[in-house]
Amino acid sequence: QVYLIESGGGLVQSGDSLRLSCSASIRRFGHYAMGWFRQAPGKERELIAAISGGGNSTNYADSVKGRFTISRDNAKSTVFLQVNSLKPEDTAVYRCAASPNLVTLQAGRINYWGRGTQVTVSS
């Protein structure tokens, strides 16, 4: 059974940091590009960070560039999102997703989704 389980969210204050984790049970995890999406109430889902299967290529949305860092540990089938300098507008449900490559990930062709972890940033 395939699963993606996120953890690390919570209620924090503006300027704080969090480290989100996504643990996967995907066979050949290292063959998948992984991404972090977020969706705030009343807003569209947004791809904010992506990493290639080998971890040598990353992409970020302009809204998080310089503050968020995506990384992965293929030996542990886990992808991380370090989120720094949090702002109230970062409040959202953060979900990880797996896709064959960065192009398909950007196109929204997702093979597997996690259920998400809530991040709430108070001002």
Side-chain angles (χ1 to χ4, degrees), residues 37-92:
F37 291 78
R38 69 182 182 186
Q39 187 166 20
K43 294 188 177 181
E44 291 189 357
R45 186 175 61 212
E46 175 187 22
L47 174 61
I48 56 171
I51 188 167
S52 60
N56 57 338
S57 183
T58 57
N59 294 320
Y60 297 94
D62 287 343
S63 57
V64 305
K65 201 171 293 184
R67 298 188 298 124
F68 291 11
T69 303
I70 189 171
S71 61
R72 65 191 297 159
D73 183 341
N74 285 346
K76 296 182 179 180
S77 297
T78 302
V79 62
F80 305 97
L81 187 68
Q82 178 68 38
V83 296
N84 299 329
S85 303
L86 281 163
K87 307 173 182 179
E89 52 263 43
D90 293 319
T91 295

Short mmCIF file of all heavy atoms in Angstrom, two decimals, residues 37-92:
data_model
loop_
_atom_site.label_atom_id
_atom_site.label_comp_id
_atom_site.label_asym_id
_atom_site.label_seq_id
_atom_site.Cartn_x
_atom_site.Cartn_y
_atom_site.Cartn_z
N PHE A 37 3.04 21.16 -2.12
CA PHE A 37 1.96 22.05 -2.49
C PHE A 37 1.38 22.66 -1.22
O PHE A 37 1.50 22.09 -0.14
CB PHE A 37 0.85 21.29 -3.22
CG PHE A 37 1.21 20.80 -4.58
CD1 PHE A 37 1.99 19.67 -4.77
CD2 PHE A 37 0.72 21.46 -5.71
CE1 PHE A 37 2.31 19.20 -6.02
CE2 PHE A 37 1.02 20.99 -6.99
CZ PHE A 37 1.82 19.86 -7.14
N ARG A 38 0.72 23.78 -1.38
CA ARG A 38 -0.03 24.31 -0.25
C ARG A 38 -1.34 24.92 -0.76
O ARG A 38 -1.43 25.34 -1.92
CB ARG A 38 0.76 25.36 0.53
CG ARG A 38 1.00 26.68 -0.20
CD ARG A 38 1.84 27.61 0.67
NE ARG A 38 2.04 28.90 0.01
CZ ARG A 38 2.82 29.85 0.50
NH1 ARG A 38 3.49 29.66 1.66
NH2 ARG A 38 2.97 31.00 -0.14
N GLN A 39 -2.32 24.91 0.11
CA GLN A 39 -3.61 25.51 -0.24
C GLN A 39 -4.18 26.18 0.99
O GLN A 39 -4.37 25.56 2.04
CB GLN A 39 -4.58 24.45 -0.77
CG GLN A 39 -5.87 25.04 -1.30
CD GLN A 39 -6.68 24.06 -2.12
OE1 GLN A 39 -6.49 22.84 -2.03
NE2 GLN A 39 -7.57 24.57 -2.95
N ALA A 40 -4.44 27.46 0.84
CA ALA A 40 -5.06 28.24 1.89
C ALA A 40 -6.56 28.32 1.63
O ALA A 40 -6.99 28.17 0.47
CB ALA A 40 -4.46 29.65 1.93
N PRO A 41 -7.36 28.56 2.64
CA PRO A 41 -8.81 28.65 2.46
C PRO A 41 -9.18 29.70 1.42
O PRO A 41 -8.68 30.83 1.46
CB PRO A 41 -9.32 29.06 3.84
CG PRO A 41 -8.30 28.53 4.78
CD PRO A 41 -6.99 28.68 4.06
N GLY A 42 -9.99 29.30 0.45
CA GLY A 42 -10.44 30.23 -0.57
C GLY A 42 -9.45 30.50 -1.67
O GLY A 42 -9.70 31.33 -2.56
N LYS A 43 -8.30 29.81 -1.62
CA LYS A 43 -7.27 30.03 -2.64
C LYS A 43 -6.98 28.73 -3.40
O LYS A 43 -7.27 27.64 -2.92
CB LYS A 43 -5.99 30.56 -2.00
CG LYS A 43 -6.13 31.94 -1.39
CD LYS A 43 -4.79 32.49 -0.94
CE LYS A 43 -4.92 33.90 -0.39
NZ LYS A 43 -3.60 34.45 0.04
N GLU A 44 -6.38 28.88 -4.57
CA GLU A 44 -6.04 27.71 -5.36
C GLU A 44 -4.80 27.02 -4.78
O GLU A 44 -3.96 27.65 -4.13
CB GLU A 44 -5.76 28.13 -6.81
CG GLU A 44 -7.00 28.59 -7.56
CD GLU A 44 -6.73 28.78 -9.04
OE1 GLU A 44 -5.57 28.61 -9.45
OE2 GLU A 44 -7.67 29.09 -9.76
N ARG A 45 -4.69 25.75 -5.06
CA ARG A 45 -3.52 24.99 -4.65
C ARG A 45 -2.31 25.50 -5.42
O ARG A 45 -2.39 25.78 -6.62
CB ARG A 45 -3.75 23.51 -4.92
CG ARG A 45 -2.66 22.60 -4.41
CD ARG A 45 -3.06 21.17 -4.62
NE ARG A 45 -3.25 20.87 -6.02
CZ ARG A 45 -4.12 19.98 -6.48
NH1 ARG A 45 -4.89 19.31 -5.63
NH2 ARG A 45 -4.23 19.75 -7.77
N GLU A 46 -1.20 25.60 -4.72
CA GLU A 46 0.02 26.18 -5.29
C GLU A 46 1.19 25.23 -5.09
O GLU A 46 1.44 24.76 -3.97
CB GLU A 46 0.31 27.52 -4.59
CG GLU A 46 1.59 28.19 -4.99
CD GLU A 46 1.90 29.42 -4.14
OE1 GLU A 46 1.38 29.53 -3.01
OE2 GLU A 46 2.68 30.28 -4.61
N LEU A 47 1.93 24.96 -6.15
CA LEU A 47 3.18 24.20 -6.04
C LEU A 47 4.25 25.17 -5.59
O LEU A 47 4.56 26.11 -6.30
CB LEU A 47 3.55 23.55 -7.37
CG LEU A 47 4.90 22.84 -7.43
CD1 LEU A 47 4.95 21.68 -6.44
CD2 LEU A 47 5.19 22.36 -8.85
N ILE A 48 4.83 24.94 -4.43
CA ILE A 48 5.78 25.91 -3.89
C ILE A 48 7.22 25.42 -3.95
O ILE A 48 8.14 26.25 -3.95
CB ILE A 48 5.43 26.30 -2.44
CG1 ILE A 48 5.35 25.06 -1.54
CG2 ILE A 48 4.14 27.10 -2.41
CD1 ILE A 48 5.24 25.38 -0.07
N ALA A 49 7.45 24.12 -4.00
CA ALA A 49 8.81 23.60 -4.04
C ALA A 49 8.81 22.22 -4.69
O ALA A 49 7.89 21.44 -4.47
CB ALA A 49 9.42 23.53 -2.65
N ALA A 50 9.85 21.95 -5.46
CA ALA A 50 9.95 20.67 -6.15
C ALA A 50 11.41 20.23 -6.18
O ALA A 50 12.32 21.07 -6.23
CB ALA A 50 9.40 20.78 -7.56
N ILE A 51 11.61 18.92 -6.18
CA ILE A 51 12.97 18.38 -6.21
C ILE A 51 12.97 17.15 -7.10
O ILE A 51 12.04 16.34 -7.08
CB ILE A 51 13.45 18.06 -4.78
CG1 ILE A 51 14.93 17.68 -4.77
CG2 ILE A 51 12.58 16.99 -4.12
CD1 ILE A 51 15.54 17.68 -3.37
N SER A 52 14.01 17.01 -7.90
CA SER A 52 14.12 15.87 -8.79
C SER A 52 14.40 14.59 -8.01
O SER A 52 14.74 14.63 -6.82
CB SER A 52 15.24 16.12 -9.80
OG SER A 52 16.48 16.31 -9.12
N GLY A 53 14.29 13.46 -8.70
CA GLY A 53 14.45 12.18 -8.03
C GLY A 53 15.80 12.01 -7.36
O GLY A 53 15.90 11.48 -6.26
N GLY A 54 16.83 12.48 -8.04
CA GLY A 54 18.17 12.37 -7.48
C GLY A 54 18.52 13.48 -6.51
O GLY A 54 19.56 13.42 -5.85
N GLY A 55 17.69 14.50 -6.47
CA GLY A 55 17.90 15.61 -5.54
C GLY A 55 18.81 16.69 -6.07
O GLY A 55 19.14 17.64 -5.34
N ASN A 56 19.23 16.61 -7.33
CA ASN A 56 20.19 17.59 -7.84
C ASN A 56 19.55 18.80 -8.51
O ASN A 56 20.25 19.72 -8.94
CB ASN A 56 21.17 16.92 -8.82
CG ASN A 56 20.44 16.27 -9.98
OD1 ASN A 56 19.26 15.96 -9.87
ND2 ASN A 56 21.13 16.06 -11.07
N SER A 57 18.24 18.81 -8.60
CA SER A 57 17.54 19.94 -9.20
C SER A 57 16.34 20.31 -8.34
O SER A 57 15.57 19.44 -7.93
CB SER A 57 17.09 19.59 -10.61
OG SER A 57 16.47 20.70 -11.22
N THR A 58 16.21 21.60 -8.06
CA THR A 58 15.08 22.09 -7.25
C THR A 58 14.46 23.31 -7.92
O THR A 58 15.14 24.06 -8.65
CB THR A 58 15.52 22.47 -5.83
OG1 THR A 58 16.55 23.46 -5.90
CG2 THR A 58 16.05 21.27 -5.08
N ASN A 59 13.18 23.51 -7.67
CA ASN A 59 12.45 24.68 -8.15
C ASN A 59 11.62 25.23 -7.01
O ASN A 59 11.14 24.47 -6.16
CB ASN A 59 11.53 24.32 -9.31
CG ASN A 59 12.29 23.87 -10.55
OD1 ASN A 59 13.32 24.45 -10.88
ND2 ASN A 59 11.78 22.86 -11.21
N TYR A 60 11.42 26.56 -7.02
CA TYR A 60 10.63 27.20 -5.97
C TYR A 60 9.69 28.24 -6.58
O TYR A 60 10.03 28.89 -7.57
CB TYR A 60 11.53 27.90 -4.95
CG TYR A 60 12.45 26.97 -4.20
CD1 TYR A 60 13.74 26.73 -4.63
CD2 TYR A 60 12.00 26.33 -3.04
CE1 TYR A 60 14.58 25.86 -3.95
CE2 TYR A 60 12.82 25.46 -2.34
CZ TYR A 60 14.11 25.23 -2.81
OH TYR A 60 14.93 24.37 -2.12
N ALA A 61 8.55 28.38 -5.95
CA ALA A 61 7.66 29.48 -6.30
C ALA A 61 8.28 30.78 -5.81
O ALA A 61 8.99 30.80 -4.79
CB ALA A 61 6.29 29.27 -5.67
N ASP A 62 8.00 31.86 -6.51
CA ASP A 62 8.56 33.16 -6.14
C ASP A 62 8.16 33.54 -4.71
O ASP A 62 8.92 34.20 -4.00
CB ASP A 62 8.09 34.23 -7.11
CG ASP A 62 8.76 34.12 -8.47
OD1 ASP A 62 9.81 33.44 -8.57
OD2 ASP A 62 8.23 34.70 -9.43
N SER A 63 6.98 33.10 -4.30
CA SER A 63 6.46 33.49 -2.99
C SER A 63 7.27 32.91 -1.83
O SER A 63 7.20 33.42 -0.71
CB SER A 63 5.00 33.06 -2.86
OG SER A 63 4.87 31.66 -3.05
N VAL A 64 8.06 31.86 -2.09
CA VAL A 64 8.81 31.22 -1.00
C VAL A 64 10.31 31.20 -1.26
O VAL A 64 11.09 30.79 -0.39
CB VAL A 64 8.32 29.78 -0.75
CG1 VAL A 64 6.82 29.77 -0.49
CG2 VAL A 64 8.68 28.86 -1.90
N LYS A 65 10.73 31.63 -2.42
CA LYS A 65 12.15 31.58 -2.78
C LYS A 65 12.99 32.36 -1.78
O LYS A 65 12.66 33.48 -1.41
CB LYS A 65 12.33 32.15 -4.20
CG LYS A 65 13.60 31.73 -4.89
CD LYS A 65 13.59 32.17 -6.36
CE LYS A 65 12.53 31.42 -7.16
NZ LYS A 65 12.57 31.77 -8.60
N GLY A 66 14.05 31.73 -1.33
CA GLY A 66 14.93 32.36 -0.35
C GLY A 66 14.53 32.09 1.10
O GLY A 66 15.32 32.33 2.02
N ARG A 67 13.32 31.59 1.31
CA ARG A 67 12.85 31.30 2.68
C ARG A 67 12.65 29.81 2.91
O ARG A 67 12.80 29.32 4.02
CB ARG A 67 11.53 32.02 2.97
CG ARG A 67 11.63 33.54 2.90
CD ARG A 67 10.33 34.19 3.38
NE ARG A 67 9.20 33.83 2.57
CZ ARG A 67 8.08 33.27 3.04
NH1 ARG A 67 7.96 32.99 4.32
NH2 ARG A 67 7.08 32.99 2.22
N PHE A 68 12.25 29.09 1.87
CA PHE A 68 11.96 27.66 1.98
C PHE A 68 13.04 26.87 1.26
O PHE A 68 13.55 27.30 0.21
CB PHE A 68 10.60 27.33 1.36
CG PHE A 68 9.41 27.86 2.11
CD1 PHE A 68 9.53 28.78 3.13
CD2 PHE A 68 8.13 27.42 1.76
CE1 PHE A 68 8.41 29.26 3.81
CE2 PHE A 68 7.01 27.89 2.42
CZ PHE A 68 7.15 28.81 3.44
N THR A 69 13.35 25.68 1.78
CA THR A 69 14.33 24.80 1.15
C THR A 69 13.79 23.38 1.14
O THR A 69 13.43 22.84 2.19
CB THR A 69 15.66 24.83 1.91
OG1 THR A 69 16.16 26.17 1.97
CG2 THR A 69 16.70 23.96 1.20
N ILE A 70 13.76 22.78 -0.04
CA ILE A 70 13.33 21.40 -0.18
C ILE A 70 14.56 20.51 -0.27
O ILE A 70 15.57 20.88 -0.89
CB ILE A 70 12.40 21.21 -1.40
CG1 ILE A 70 11.78 19.81 -1.42
CG2 ILE A 70 13.14 21.51 -2.71
CD1 ILE A 70 10.69 19.64 -2.47
N SER A 71 14.47 19.34 0.34
CA SER A 71 15.56 18.37 0.28
C SER A 71 14.96 16.97 0.41
O SER A 71 13.78 16.83 0.73
CB SER A 71 16.59 18.63 1.39
OG SER A 71 15.99 18.50 2.68
N ARG A 72 15.79 15.97 0.17
CA ARG A 72 15.28 14.60 0.27
C ARG A 72 16.38 13.66 0.74
O ARG A 72 17.57 13.92 0.49
CB ARG A 72 14.69 14.14 -1.05
CG ARG A 72 15.67 14.01 -2.19
CD ARG A 72 14.96 13.80 -3.53
NE ARG A 72 14.21 12.54 -3.54
CZ ARG A 72 13.20 12.31 -4.39
NH1 ARG A 72 12.83 13.21 -5.27
NH2 ARG A 72 12.56 11.14 -4.35
N ASP A 73 15.95 12.59 1.37
CA ASP A 73 16.84 11.51 1.78
C ASP A 73 16.27 10.24 1.17
O ASP A 73 15.33 9.65 1.70
CB ASP A 73 16.89 11.43 3.31
CG ASP A 73 17.87 10.38 3.81
OD1 ASP A 73 18.23 9.48 3.04
OD2 ASP A 73 18.24 10.44 4.99
N ASN A 74 16.82 9.83 0.05
CA ASN A 74 16.25 8.67 -0.66
C ASN A 74 16.44 7.38 0.12
O ASN A 74 15.64 6.45 0.00
CB ASN A 74 16.85 8.57 -2.05
CG ASN A 74 16.28 9.61 -3.00
OD1 ASN A 74 15.26 10.24 -2.70
ND2 ASN A 74 16.94 9.81 -4.13
N ALA A 75 17.48 7.31 0.93
CA ALA A 75 17.69 6.11 1.74
C ALA A 75 16.57 5.92 2.76
O ALA A 75 16.26 4.80 3.16
CB ALA A 75 19.04 6.19 2.45
N LYS A 76 15.95 7.04 3.16
CA LYS A 76 14.87 6.98 4.14
C LYS A 76 13.51 7.28 3.51
O LYS A 76 12.51 7.39 4.22
CB LYS A 76 15.14 7.97 5.28
CG LYS A 76 16.38 7.64 6.10
CD LYS A 76 16.56 8.62 7.24
CE LYS A 76 17.80 8.25 8.07
NZ LYS A 76 18.02 9.19 9.20
N SER A 77 13.50 7.39 2.18
CA SER A 77 12.24 7.66 1.46
C SER A 77 11.49 8.84 2.08
O SER A 77 10.27 8.77 2.32
CB SER A 77 11.34 6.42 1.46
OG SER A 77 11.96 5.36 0.76
N THR A 78 12.21 9.90 2.30
CA THR A 78 11.62 11.07 2.96
C THR A 78 12.03 12.35 2.22
O THR A 78 13.17 12.47 1.77
CB THR A 78 12.08 11.15 4.42
OG1 THR A 78 11.71 9.94 5.10
CG2 THR A 78 11.41 12.33 5.14
N VAL A 79 11.09 13.26 2.13
CA VAL A 79 11.36 14.58 1.58
C VAL A 79 11.04 15.61 2.66
O VAL A 79 10.12 15.42 3.46
CB VAL A 79 10.56 14.84 0.28
CG1 VAL A 79 9.07 14.80 0.54
CG2 VAL A 79 10.96 16.16 -0.35
N PHE A 80 11.84 16.67 2.70
CA PHE A 80 11.72 17.68 3.73
C PHE A 80 11.43 19.05 3.11
O PHE A 80 11.76 19.31 1.96
CB PHE A 80 13.02 17.77 4.53
CG PHE A 80 13.46 16.48 5.13
CD1 PHE A 80 14.43 15.70 4.49
CD2 PHE A 80 12.95 16.03 6.33
CE1 PHE A 80 14.85 14.50 5.04
CE2 PHE A 80 13.36 14.83 6.89
CZ PHE A 80 14.31 14.07 6.24
N LEU A 81 10.83 19.90 3.91
CA LEU A 81 10.68 21.30 3.53
C LEU A 81 11.02 22.14 4.75
O LEU A 81 10.28 22.15 5.73
CB LEU A 81 9.25 21.61 3.06
CG LEU A 81 9.07 23.02 2.50
CD1 LEU A 81 9.82 23.18 1.18
CD2 LEU A 81 7.59 23.35 2.31
N GLN A 82 12.16 22.81 4.69
CA GLN A 82 12.55 23.74 5.74
C GLN A 82 11.91 25.08 5.43
O GLN A 82 12.14 25.63 4.34
CB GLN A 82 14.08 23.87 5.80
CG GLN A 82 14.58 24.85 6.84
CD GLN A 82 14.33 24.37 8.26
OE1 GLN A 82 14.44 23.20 8.56
NE2 GLN A 82 13.97 25.31 9.14
N VAL A 83 11.10 25.56 6.35
CA VAL A 83 10.39 26.82 6.12
C VAL A 83 10.84 27.82 7.16
O VAL A 83 10.69 27.61 8.35
CB VAL A 83 8.86 26.60 6.15
CG1 VAL A 83 8.45 25.68 5.02
CG2 VAL A 83 8.38 26.03 7.45
N ASN A 84 11.44 28.90 6.69
CA ASN A 84 11.98 29.93 7.56
C ASN A 84 11.25 31.25 7.34
O ASN A 84 10.57 31.44 6.34
CB ASN A 84 13.47 30.13 7.29
CG ASN A 84 14.29 28.90 7.57
OD1 ASN A 84 13.97 28.08 8.44
ND2 ASN A 84 15.37 28.72 6.81
N SER A 85 11.43 32.15 8.30
CA SER A 85 10.86 33.50 8.19
C SER A 85 9.39 33.45 7.82
O SER A 85 8.94 34.13 6.89
CB SER A 85 11.65 34.33 7.17
OG SER A 85 13.01 34.38 7.50
N LEU A 86 8.64 32.64 8.53
CA LEU A 86 7.23 32.43 8.19
C LEU A 86 6.43 33.72 8.33
O LEU A 86 6.68 34.54 9.23
CB LEU A 86 6.64 31.33 9.06
CG LEU A 86 7.01 29.92 8.62
CD1 LEU A 86 6.76 28.90 9.73
CD2 LEU A 86 6.23 29.53 7.37
N LYS A 87 5.46 33.85 7.45
CA LYS A 87 4.57 35.00 7.41
C LYS A 87 3.13 34.51 7.55
O LYS A 87 2.83 33.36 7.22
CB LYS A 87 4.71 35.75 6.09
CG LYS A 87 6.13 36.14 5.73
CD LYS A 87 6.18 36.72 4.32
CE LYS A 87 7.60 37.07 3.92
NZ LYS A 87 7.66 37.63 2.53
N PRO A 88 2.24 35.37 8.01
CA PRO A 88 0.83 34.95 8.11
C PRO A 88 0.28 34.43 6.78
O PRO A 88 -0.55 33.51 6.78
CB PRO A 88 0.12 36.24 8.54
CG PRO A 88 1.16 36.97 9.33
CD PRO A 88 2.45 36.70 8.61
N GLU A 89 0.73 34.97 5.67
CA GLU A 89 0.24 34.52 4.36
C GLU A 89 0.75 33.13 3.98
O GLU A 89 0.34 32.58 2.97
CB GLU A 89 0.58 35.53 3.25
CG GLU A 89 2.04 35.93 3.20
CD GLU A 89 2.31 37.24 3.93
OE1 GLU A 89 1.77 37.42 5.06
OE2 GLU A 89 3.08 38.05 3.38
N ASP A 90 1.64 32.57 4.79
CA ASP A 90 2.08 31.18 4.57
C ASP A 90 1.11 30.18 5.20
O ASP A 90 1.27 28.97 5.02
CB ASP A 90 3.47 30.95 5.17
CG ASP A 90 4.56 31.73 4.46
OD1 ASP A 90 4.53 31.80 3.21
OD2 ASP A 90 5.45 32.28 5.15
N THR A 91 0.13 30.66 5.92
CA THR A 91 -0.85 29.78 6.54
C THR A 91 -1.59 28.99 5.47
O THR A 91 -2.17 29.56 4.55
CB THR A 91 -1.85 30.59 7.37
OG1 THR A 91 -1.15 31.20 8.47
CG2 THR A 91 -2.96 29.71 7.92
N ALA A 92 -1.55 27.66 5.60
CA ALA A 92 -2.17 26.79 4.60
C ALA A 92 -2.01 25.33 5.04
O ALA A 92 -1.29 25.04 6.00
CB ALA A 92 -1.50 26.99 3.24
#
